[in-house]
Amino acid sequence: MILCSGEALIDMVPENGVFRPLAGGAVYNTAIALGRLGEPTAYLWPISRDSFGEVLLRPLTEAGVDTGLCPRSDRLTTLALVTLAGGEARYAFYDEGSAGRMLSPDDIPALPAQTEAIFAGGISLVPDPCGTAIEALIQRNHAKLPVMVDPNIRPFFIKDEQAYRARLARILPQADIVKLSADDLEWLYPGFGIEDAARQVLALGARIVLQTGGASGARAIWSGETVEAPAIRTSVADTIGAGDTFNAGVLASLRRQGILSKPGIAAITGDQLHAALGLGAQAAAITVSRPGANPPWAHEMP
């Protein structure tokens, strides 16, 4: 079972001159995508008892994601107002005092024995107490479980850059796989080329850095020769949830190949990495072909 921990929120997406509420959040989207791909998945994040909380729970249940670890809260659900410019999504967050924001380290339970890996990241790494809670989840479990982190850096959401950089400096060395966009790498290491910046992350202790670039495809930078996979050509409705779905495809591939473990990732081959990038790209291509974060089901995959 892959445990996903990170923000769940409501994306207010523009549609025909009005805003339509859609379940979303970077890590939430990855959990949904994993469940739809048929992978055993659990989710850990507070879910509000407000009406939006039910909107969030329904897709998780439909995708077969285990929500037994999700605490319920009387606080409100986080809202993200989405605007689109040239098909690219931009966000404004309404998060202060929300159900997810107030997750604390004391809310992090002992993980079920069937947990095989942890996926975490997103804007949940930025504020406290939830950022400290996710950091505690990783710190307590990274020695025995493989960890994949996608910080999904949103500079406009970061109020204390120094504290956030310090948190990433603690978390990234504990991750086996780190996914970063070209923009993420530029923010982390301004002035470096993409591959040089990725190798800075490897030097911290990560084994694999996955770099995504939309239409330019994806790359895996690791101890061997860089592995590349082209983006799959499709008609793009928008890019909401594309990277999140890519993450799910990569994790699903690693699990199906029998290498989603600390020893498996340590001994990974270039061919295995290429297969993982390929499944991630295939899943993401379906997501971008339709509006909103709407990852593919297993039967929709090639």
Side-chain angles (χ1 to χ4, degrees):
M1 178 185 76
I2 300 171
L3 175 67
C4 299
S5 188
E7 73 272 9
L9 49 82
I10 296 295
D11 283 325
M12 303 298 288
V13 179
E15 185 176 286
N16 299 322
V18 297
F19 286 93
R20 178 186 177 194
L22 296 174
V27 179
Y28 174 91
N29 291 339
T30 297
I32 295 291
L34 278 166
R36 289 186 177 187
L37 290 172
E39 299 303 312
T41 307
Y43 186 54
L44 169 58
W45 194 251
I47 301 293
S48 175
R49 293 187 180 92
D50 65 15
S51 57
F52 284 137
E54 296 306 312
V55 174
L56 290 168
L57 280 174
R58 192 176 307 116
L60 290 166
T61 301
E62 290 172 351
V65 176
D66 184 347
T67 59
L69 295 177
C70 293
R72 299 304 300 272
S73 172
D74 290 327
R75 294 179 178 273
L76 298 177
T77 299
T78 299
L79 302 181
L81 192 67
V82 183
T83 55
L84 300 175
E88 294 291 326
R90 297 289 183 268
Y91 301 85
F93 295 93
Y94 297 81
D95 183 54
E96 196 69 35
S98 68
R101 173 75 169 267
M102 302 312 293
L103 179 72
S104 77
D106 291 341
D107 297 319
I108 303 299
L111 301 188
Q114 64 269 32
T115 307
E116 300 172 73
I118 295 171
F119 174 78
I123 62 169
S124 54
L125 296 180
V126 178
D128 284 320
C130 64
T132 301
I134 298 302
E135 187 174 346
L137 169 69
I138 293 170
Q139 194 278 328
R140 294 172 192 172
N141 295 283
H142 77 95
K144 59 184 177 181
L145 293 174
V147 174
M148 179 173 175
V149 172
D150 178 359
N152 199 21
I153 298 168
R154 306 290 188 190
F156 58 83
F157 190 74
I158 302 165
K159 295 181 179 179
D160 187 339
E161 181 176 326
Q162 183 177 358
Y164 180 59
R165 286 185 179 275
R167 173 160 289 148
L168 291 182
R170 295 189 297 270
I171 287 177
L172 297 185
Q174 301 177 65
D176 300 273
I177 304 171
V178 179
K179 200 292 283 293
L180 297 159
S181 68
D183 288 343
D184 293 339
L185 287 164
E186 171 61 26
W187 187 89
L188 281 170
Y189 297 101
F192 282 69
I194 288 176
E195 184 146 345
D196 287 341
R199 295 202 177 276
Q200 293 294 313
V201 179
L202 289 181
L204 295 175
R207 291 194 175 273
I208 302 165
V209 174
L210 303 179
Q211 185 266 314
T212 54
S216 63
R219 291 190 282 180
I221 297 93
W222 60 309
S223 60
E225 185 176 346
T226 298
V227 177
E228 299 189 15
I232 294 172
R233 295 177 65 87
T234 187
S235 177
V236 176
D238 62 53
T239 62
I240 300 172
D244 312 325
T245 305
F246 172 84
N247 292 336
V250 167
L251 287 166
S253 176
L254 295 177
R255 188 175 185 277
R256 292 171 189 179
Q257 293 183 73
I259 54 174
L260 189 57
S261 65
K262 301 288 280 193
I265 292 173
I268 199 166
T269 68
D271 287 343
Q272 289 169 328
L273 271 173
H274 191 268
L277 294 179
L279 188 62
Q282 289 173 349
I286 294 174
T287 297
V288 302
S289 72
R290 48 204 192 189
N294 186 5
W297 296 84
H299 69 267
E300 297 179 289
M301 293 291 288

